[in-house]
Amino acid sequence: MPVEHRPLPELIAHLEDLPEPHILCGRDYRILAANASYRKRCGGGEVIGQPCYAVSHRYEVPCDQAGESCPLAASLESGQRERVLHLHHTAHGEEYVNIELTPVVDDRGEILCFMEKMERLRVARDETGRRALIGRSPAFRRMLELVARVAPAEASVLLLGESGTGKELVANAVHEASRRADGPFVAVDCSGLTETLFESELFGHERGAFTGAIARKTGLIEAAAGGTLFLDEVGDIPLGIQVKLLRLLETGAYRRVGSSEPRRADIRLVSATHRPLERMVRDGQFRQDLYYRINTFPIAVPPLRERREDLPLLVEALLRRVAPTRQLHLSATALRQLNRYPFPGNVRELRNLLERASLLCDGDLIGPRHLSLDMGAGVASAGQGLSAPVSDGQTRDPGDSREVSTRPPPRTAPLTASAPPEEAMRMSLPAMTPPEQAPVMPPPEMTTPQHAPMMRPPEMTTPGVEPPGPSRESLAAPLDPFDLDAARDRALSLALREHRGNRRELARKLGISERTLYRRLRGLGQGS
């Protein structure tokens, strides 16, 4: 049976002098001592003798048995200090906390106990919720742990992710958790700037350096002194500027445009891009030496489709931002519909959808009918399906007593010779004015100066006579699926061969006006 080691009284007294929450844990995970800051953080209750995982996580088993990394188990194996990022229950709710666990050893090197220091990660949640990183999915927590590790250092950070994933928020999180948090955070959008304008914006210029430079201008590097410079879409930087940016990063020196005096830069660089920089390096579109210089510590920002567990948290936070004076929330059906959507625009698209839904919703409950129809089509095209339809072709939200109709998904079936001619024509032609709404006008060649009324069109087919137009062999020939004009003409030819009646009746079946039909027949050489 292992010997129970009791902490030294002077060690317990030392804990009380520390401002951050600290505890001492035994090998069995039980808390042996806790300072006042830790007790206040946990709500002031009794924690001595309780397992640390029960107090911090409300678990019944240690963290490593609950699917998380356990610093105590890792330290027992390595005998060294361990650091992890955990989501803890506190008196203020759930908060991300940096855990630093250090083994306390005796004269013989045996571990007596463990000292655990906790530091709240400010970037994960703030009091206003305005610029907080929100999430608890595994992909989000892996990203946040990398942010917590690199933020205290001065290493350059490269954020890689799709558009709309919140790369600027992550860059700001790196800044807020660093020693430069009291300094400025300056963001530069590198896309759309010419080489001359980019150099002037980044490095500044002297008076008279170029036409229009009527005064000295301070560059963004100088404006970010003592803080963080964030280069968004760094893959769009012109090659000529990449050389000067590389020199800045390697030497810490730069020159204003039109000046020969070198200046010192005091910045921490964070870059972001959605472009494949490695492929751009191979293609000669991005300098290899600059790539290795900014890629010291890469962080992948996950797309929303890889962190669907965060949707309820994101929806709640975004609704508070887009409609701060209302108590909006989503119905269960609407949330399931969002959960099926692939979100190509990521969190930015989610925010836009919710802002639109908040404007369409008069009450407090947002249902499926308030969400964008384009989103519904995107779900259907991805094969995910939407909410179940009721018998009359309408959908019903459990949280809504009214029935609403939905637009049928767009036709995507290919044109085939076996399809009905009228249906094939309707699939290939753009939307036209309904026949009952379109004015009946004669084609130009049939009008007279007196604007005589149009004569009834003759019959288009004669019994026993082969109808005019392409032969059956030509209609059965292979069709290029990417030639839309040929597909439309083929569908019209099929309709012309199969139809028995006059052209007015054919136009009605095709859902187009007679004028449009005559114009298309002339294109086939059938107009008369």
Side-chain angles (χ1 to χ4, degrees):
M1 184 174 181
V3 178
E4 181 181 357
H5 297 283
R6 300 187 63 83
L8 301 175
E10 54 269 23
L11 188 57
I12 298 178
H14 173 66
L15 290 184
E16 292 294 342
D17 296 333
L18 299 175
E20 303 89 358
H22 280 74
I23 59 173
L24 292 178
C25 287
R27 289 172 171 264
D28 58 355
Y29 301 95
R30 296 193 176 275
I31 299 176
L32 304 176
N35 64 358
S37 180
Y38 182 87
R39 293 192 298 269
K40 180 180 178 181
R41 178 176 172 275
C42 295
E46 182 59 41
V47 297
I48 305 301
Q50 296 189 46
C52 59
Y53 51 80
V55 176
S56 300
H57 299 279
R58 314 287 169 81
Y59 290 160
E60 296 181 357
V61 294
C63 300
D64 56 339
Q65 299 179 30
E68 291 195 52
S69 57
C70 177
L72 194 149
S75 184
L76 276 174
E77 182 177 351
S78 66
Q80 301 177 356
R81 183 182 65 175
E82 297 289 342
R83 290 178 57 192
V84 295
L85 181 73
H86 275 180
L87 186 62
H88 278 190
H89 288 270
T90 70
H92 306 289
E94 290 186 326
E95 292 181 347
Y96 279 101
V97 179
N98 268 321
I99 304 295
E100 183 178 304
L101 185 135
T102 306
V104 179
V105 298
D106 59 13
D107 296 337
R108 297 173 295 178
E110 294 184 3
I111 297 178
L112 298 174
C113 58
F114 299 91
M115 178 183 294
E116 185 175 297
K117 171 187 174 182
M118 281 144 281
E119 186 176 4
R120 175 175 172 264
L121 192 62
R122 292 182 300 169
V123 300
R125 178 176 299 182
D126 60 14
E127 287 72 15
T128 63
R130 286 291 177 184
R131 296 186 64 83
L133 292 174
I134 300 171
R136 59 186 308 166
S137 62
F140 177 83
R141 296 174 72 167
R142 286 193 296 269
M143 178 203 71
L144 201 60
E145 186 167 359
L146 293 177
V147 170
R149 282 190 172 273
V150 74
E154 289 291 311
S156 298
V157 179
L158 178 61
L159 304 176
L160 304 168
E162 301 174 7
S163 295
T165 52
K167 295 187 289 295
E168 185 169 350
L169 280 178
V170 179
N172 191 76
V174 173
H175 170 73
E176 291 292 335
S178 70
R179 292 190 290 266
R180 295 176 175 265
D182 295 332
F185 176 81
V186 178
V188 183
D189 186 2
C190 300
S191 60
L193 292 177
T194 63
E195 183 171 342
T196 303
L197 183 59
F198 189 91
E199 186 176 10
S200 173
E201 289 290 325
L202 195 62
F203 301 112
H205 63 254
E206 297 290 343
R207 178 181 178 182
F210 51 85
T211 302
I214 59 176
R216 173 184 292 179
K217 178 180 178 180
T218 300
L220 295 177
I221 292 177
E222 191 172 348
T228 301
L229 180 67
F230 173 54
L231 297 181
D232 195 12
E233 297 303 340
V234 69
D236 294 335
I237 296 180
L239 283 170
I241 300 298
Q242 292 180 22
V243 180
K244 298 180 180 181
L245 181 60
L246 176 64
R247 179 173 178 80
L248 167 69
L249 297 177
E250 290 183 342
T251 65
Y254 69 99
R255 290 183 176 89
R256 288 177 177 169
V257 178
S259 173
S260 59
E261 178 186 356
R263 307 180 67 88
R264 302 296 300 178
D266 178 22
I267 60 169
R268 198 264 183 88
L269 182 69
V270 179
S271 308
T273 185
H274 73 283
R275 294 178 176 271
L277 289 186
E278 291 186 356
R279 189 171 67 193
M280 293 177 66
V281 169
R282 292 195 300 268
D283 296 341
Q285 299 175 353
F286 199 85
R287 291 185 62 92
Q288 185 180 48
D289 44 8
L290 178 60
Y291 171 71
Y292 290 128
R293 189 64 180 79
I294 65 176
N295 195 33
T296 305
F297 198 91
I299 298 178
V301 183
L304 186 53
R305 62 181 174 273
E306 294 181 4
R307 40 180 300 214
R308 295 189 182 276
E309 305 96 316
D310 297 335
L311 261 179
L313 296 174
L314 290 170
V315 166
E316 180 184 357
L318 291 175
L319 285 177
R320 287 199 304 266
R321 298 180 190 180
V322 300
T325 60
R326 302 170 63 185
Q327 300 293 326
L328 291 176
H329 57 280
L330 257 65
S331 68
T333 305
L335 186 59
R336 286 196 298 270
Q337 182 171 322
L338 286 181
N339 205 30
R340 298 188 188 106
Y341 184 58
F343 283 105
N346 294 293
V347 182
R348 181 186 294 121
E349 183 181 8
L350 174 63
R351 179 193 172 100
N352 293 340
L353 287 173
L354 294 177
E355 186 169 8
R356 179 181 185 275
S358 68
L359 297 175
L360 295 175
C361 179
D362 295 324
D364 295 333
L365 182 66
I366 296 178
R369 74 181 189 278
H370 301 124
L371 299 176
S372 170
L373 292 178
D374 292 340
M375 184 207 67
V379 178
S381 65
Q384 301 289 339
L386 297 176
S387 54
V390 293
S391 59
D392 57 357
Q394 296 177 329
T395 56
R396 184 192 301 272
D397 180 11
D400 184 11
S401 59
R402 294 179 292 178
E403 294 181 345
V404 293
S405 62
T406 58
R407 181 183 303 170
R411 298 181 182 270
T412 58
L415 296 177
T416 60
S418 61
E422 293 84 357
E423 183 67 17
M425 183 66 181
R426 195 172 293 114
M427 289 160 55
S428 62
L429 293 178
M432 299 292 180
T433 306
E436 62 273 14
Q437 297 179 10
V440 179
M441 297 291 293
E445 67 272 17
M446 298 185 63
T447 57
T448 64
Q450 291 77 21
H451 302 284
M454 184 176 66
M455 302 294 292
R456 178 179 178 83
E459 294 295 319
M460 298 186 62
T461 58
T462 303
V465 179
E466 179 73 13
S471 64
R472 296 184 182 273
E473 291 76 9
S474 63
L475 292 177
L479 182 65
D480 184 357
F482 297 100
D483 191 345
L484 297 182
D485 291 335
R488 184 191 64 192
D489 294 343
R490 173 75 63 84
L492 182 56
S493 298
L494 287 170
L496 192 62
R497 292 186 63 87
E498 299 296 331
H499 180 68
R500 297 294 184 269
N502 58 40
R503 294 183 178 180
R504 179 178 297 175
E505 180 67 16
L506 177 59
R508 186 189 65 79
K509 288 183 178 181
L510 294 176
I512 60 177
S513 67
E514 286 186 69
R515 189 180 185 89
T516 301
L517 177 60
Y518 275 105
R519 187 170 63 251
R520 299 205 184 281
L521 287 176
R522 284 199 307 272
L524 291 176
Q526 301 294 321
S528 60

